[in-house]
């Protein structure tokens, strides 16, 4: 095999072009699952995969698979992948670097004349982001068999549309029970991603290799109070749903800052009220709360504290409520041997490397249930992510792609 040369300019052109596929005005990227932008994005990726000679398949929840067949087709493949959906007001690198970067890694190997023995498969996961249904990693949860078909069928978006509706919209073939991966489908899974945190940049490091992914959880709260005229409804006896919601957001902050662990993080990322008129007392409030920690013990302690606070606040304010745990996941422990392999490959290329924790979640959280898994992190500007000024340089991305390509070469040979 000739030396591997990543075409960083071609990849950067593709990342820039892909960022124009958005529901919002550039530079803002928004690509919600099965929106028109998401469907266009899927087509863009499919074209690049076809150009690279990869064999495409889509499963019943819209996960896309692009396979470079190895000479020993019967062997479990080496998998990689990430997502192309983007939360509202996102940037252009989250997920996309792991998808377009993986295609570039494959093209790099092809140009060098590498012929894999094991197949190499890129997975573009459905709805890593929770925007549509409130739950993240929908595609990988189903691949890993972690989400029951009943719970999947019960998912609704904010307009009441279910997964079945959106699956049809997305042209996903077959029944949902065909999504779960067979045992031994993959020999390994390695996801390339921007760090989404400040560590690599601050320590001037090229590459992070992920040893553990923090444990996420999400709560959905619906509050019903009593509305009325803002002028004529006197303050005593009001049952204002927003005020209960506002107290809940403070209870989330209180819980997340008092576990004794700096790793507990709590965020109320969604708070919507009805009727949403300045001269009307809010009679409904809808909240989604994101709570995470590297340790389940402190995450769960905070979760219980928040749930207790919700009951107390709503009882005191005479607010009816429903409280639903959308997901409460354990952390993922990455495969120690695979971590060593990838870290060794990166150091062998003279890149500076750190083994680290991922505080963000990824489809790797659930792929780790299926096969040995790790992630390759690259630095990003000030750790910014989930915002339009998210940035990694072409040179930083190039190093990540190089490590991914060398990893394929080593694992698939
Ligand atoms: C992924 O997008 C996350 O929220 O960690
Ligand atoms: Mn994200
Ligand atoms: Mn991501």
């Amino acid at each position: 095999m000739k030396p591997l040369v990543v075409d960083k300019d071609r990849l950067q052109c593709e990342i820039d072009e892909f960022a124009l596929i958005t529901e919002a005005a550039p530079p803002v990227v928004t690509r919600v699952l099965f929106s028109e932008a998401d469907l266009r994005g899927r087509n863009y990726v499919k074209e690049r995969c076809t150009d690279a000679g990869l064999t495409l398949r889509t499963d019943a929840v819209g996960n896309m698979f692009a396979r470079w067949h190895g000479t020993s087709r019967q062997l479990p493949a080496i998998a990689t992948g990430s997502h192309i959906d983007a939360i509202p007001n996102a940037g252009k690198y989250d997920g996309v670097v792991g998808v377009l970067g993986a295609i570039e890694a494959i093209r790099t190997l092809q140009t060098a004349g590498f012929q894999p023995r094991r197949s190499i498969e890129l997975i573009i996961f459905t709805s890593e982001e929770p925007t549509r249904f409130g739950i993240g990693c929908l595609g990988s949860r189903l691949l890993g068999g972690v989400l029951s078909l009943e719970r999947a069928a019960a998912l609704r978006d904010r307009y009441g549309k279910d997964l079945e509706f959106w699956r049809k919209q997305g042209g996903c073939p077959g029944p949902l029970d065909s999504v779960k991966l067979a045992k031994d489908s993959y020999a390994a899974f390695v996801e390339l991603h921007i760090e989404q945190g400040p560590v690599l940049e601050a320590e001037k490091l090229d590459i992070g290799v992920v040893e553990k992914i923090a444990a996420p959880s999400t709560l959905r709260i619906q509050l019903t109070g009593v509305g009325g005229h803002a002028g004529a409804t006197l303050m005593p006896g009001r049952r204002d749903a927003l005020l209960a919601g506002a107290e809940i957001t403070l209870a989330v902050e209180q819980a997340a800052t008092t576990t004794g662990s700096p790793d507990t993080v709590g965020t109320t990322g969604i708070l919507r009220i009805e009727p949403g008129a300045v001269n009307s007392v809010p009679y409904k409030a809808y909240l989604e709360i994101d709570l995470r920690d590297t340790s389940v013990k402190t995450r769960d302690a905070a979760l219980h504290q928040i749930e207790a606070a919700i009951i107390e606040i709503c009882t005191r304010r005479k607010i009816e409520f429903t409280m639903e745990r959308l997901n409460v996941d354990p952390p993922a422990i990455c495969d120690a041997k695979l971590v060593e392999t990838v870290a060794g490959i990166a150091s062998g290329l003279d890149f500076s490397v750190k083994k680290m924790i991922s505080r963000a979640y990824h489809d790797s959280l659930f792929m780790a249930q299926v096969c040995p898994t790790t992630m390759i992190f690259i630095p990003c500007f000030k750790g910014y992510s989930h915002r339009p000024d998210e940035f990694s340089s072409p040179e930083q991305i190039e190093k990540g792609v190089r490590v991914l390509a060398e990893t394929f070469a080593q694992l698939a040979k």
Side-chain angles (χ1 to χ4, degrees):
M1 183 174 77
K2 287 188 269 177
L4 298 184
V5 183
V6 174
D7 190 338
K8 69 175 187 339
D9 299 327
R10 167 173 61 183
L11 176 55
Q12 189 58 50
C13 276
E14 289 177 345
I15 291 171
D16 292 342
E17 207 169 46
F18 199 72
L20 299 176
I21 305 176
T22 166
E23 297 165 49
V28 174
V29 178
T30 302
R31 259 189 313 268
V32 178
L33 174 71
F34 295 144
S35 62
E36 189 264 341
D38 183 44
L39 296 179
R40 271 199 294 140
R42 285 164 177 263
N43 284 336
Y44 182 98
V45 171
K46 279 188 199 164
E47 276 169 27
R48 294 302 169 291
C49 290
T50 307
D51 289 349
L54 309 181
T55 305
L56 280 161
R57 144 179 112 79
T58 302
D59 74 8
V61 75
N63 291 313
M64 302 196 302
F65 304 80
R67 182 169 283 232
W68 182 13
H69 284 292
T71 49
S72 299
R73 291 189 179 204
Q74 74 288 357
L75 290 177
I78 305 302
T80 185
S82 201
H83 60 100
I84 58 165
D85 66 327
I87 64 160
N89 202 43
K92 62 183 177 184
Y93 299 92
D94 177 4
V96 171
V97 163
V99 172
L100 297 179
I103 298 173
E104 183 56 37
I106 289 171
R107 291 186 300 222
T108 300
L109 287 165
Q110 291 171 337
T111 305
F114 177 73
Q115 176 56 61
R117 189 165 72 92
R118 288 180 188 274
S119 299
I120 295 174
E121 184 145 276
L122 163 62
I123 311 176
I124 299 100
F125 295 95
T126 277
S127 195
E128 191 267 353
E129 300 292 5
T131 314
R132 171 75 65 202
F133 292 115
I135 187 169
C137 301
L138 178 58
S140 52
R141 280 176 197 274
L142 286 165
L143 287 172
V146 171
L147 182 72
S148 72
L149 297 177
E150 293 69 35
R151 287 215 47 221
L155 293 173
R156 297 284 182 279
D157 71 6
R158 65 181 288 196
Y159 308 104
K161 296 213 156 56
D162 64 3
L163 179 57
E164 218 36 47
F165 171 88
W166 283 110
R167 262 173 16 91
K168 285 206 186 91
Q169 209 68 10
C172 310
L176 262 197
D177 64 4
S178 61
V179 173
K180 187 169 180 239
L181 286 171
K183 222 173 154 281
D184 295 333
S185 294
Y186 298 114
F189 179 79
V190 182
E191 177 172 0
L192 171 64
H193 207 284
I194 60 167
E195 182 202 333
Q196 304 183 285
V199 176
L200 292 175
E201 184 187 66
E203 298 184 16
K204 297 192 170 36
L205 297 171
D206 299 315
I207 296 290
V209 183
V210 174
E211 291 183 298
K212 182 177 182 181
I213 303 173
S217 62
T218 316
L219 290 178
R220 169 186 278 167
I221 316 295
Q222 316 216 43
L223 306 175
T224 308
V226 177
H229 195 286
T233 312
L234 295 180
M235 297 309 284
R238 276 198 190 192
R239 292 162 63 193
D240 182 323
L242 171 59
L243 293 183
E247 272 202 61
I248 291 170
T249 63
L250 295 176
V252 170
E253 182 189 41
Q254 172 73 11
T257 49
T258 52
T259 58
S261 159
D263 295 323
T264 321
V265 281
T267 309
T268 306
I270 297 182
L271 170 52
R272 289 195 289 263
I273 55 169
E274 285 179 39
V278 69
N279 53 356
S280 185
V281 178
Y283 74 101
K284 266 191 197 298
Y286 174 91
L287 293 82
E288 285 180 17
I289 296 163
D290 177 306
L291 181 72
R292 319 178 187 205
D293 200 322
T294 51
S295 140
V296 170
K297 195 159 166 267
T298 36
R299 193 273 315 269
D300 285 351
L303 188 60
H304 291 133
Q305 192 179 323
I306 291 168
E307 288 173 334
I310 291 169
I311 294 169
E312 187 279 318
I313 291 163
C314 291
T315 308
R316 175 163 41 81
R317 288 184 169 274
K318 299 191 175 57
I319 297 290
E320 286 171 28
F321 68 98
T322 62
M323 173 161 81
E324 187 188 348
R325 292 180 171 192
L326 287 175
N327 64 294
V328 179
D329 301 300
I333 308 298
C334 294
D335 184 78
K337 196 163 152 239
L338 191 58
V339 168
E340 287 308 326
T341 302
V342 175
I345 287 170
S347 327
L349 293 168
D350 280 338
F351 297 156
S352 47
V353 188
K354 182 188 181 86
K355 293 180 199 155
M356 59 193 302
I357 285 176
S358 171
R359 295 178 185 278
Y361 60 69
H362 304 278
D363 295 299
S364 290
L365 190 65
F366 300 101
M367 290 306 285
Q369 314 257 350
V370 171
C371 63
T373 292
T374 188
M375 300 185 68
I376 300 166
F377 272 0
I378 57 166
C380 57
F381 176 63
K382 291 188 178 175
Y384 290 170
S385 189
H386 285 184
R387 42 189 280 183
D389 51 359
E390 191 177 71
F391 176 77
S392 290
S393 71
E395 293 70 28
Q396 288 169 324
I397 297 171
E398 178 187 20
K399 287 179 183 162
V401 172
R402 182 78 196 281
V403 175
L404 184 63
E406 301 276 359
T407 301
F408 290 156
Q410 182 153 329
L411 299 180
K413 70 168 184 263

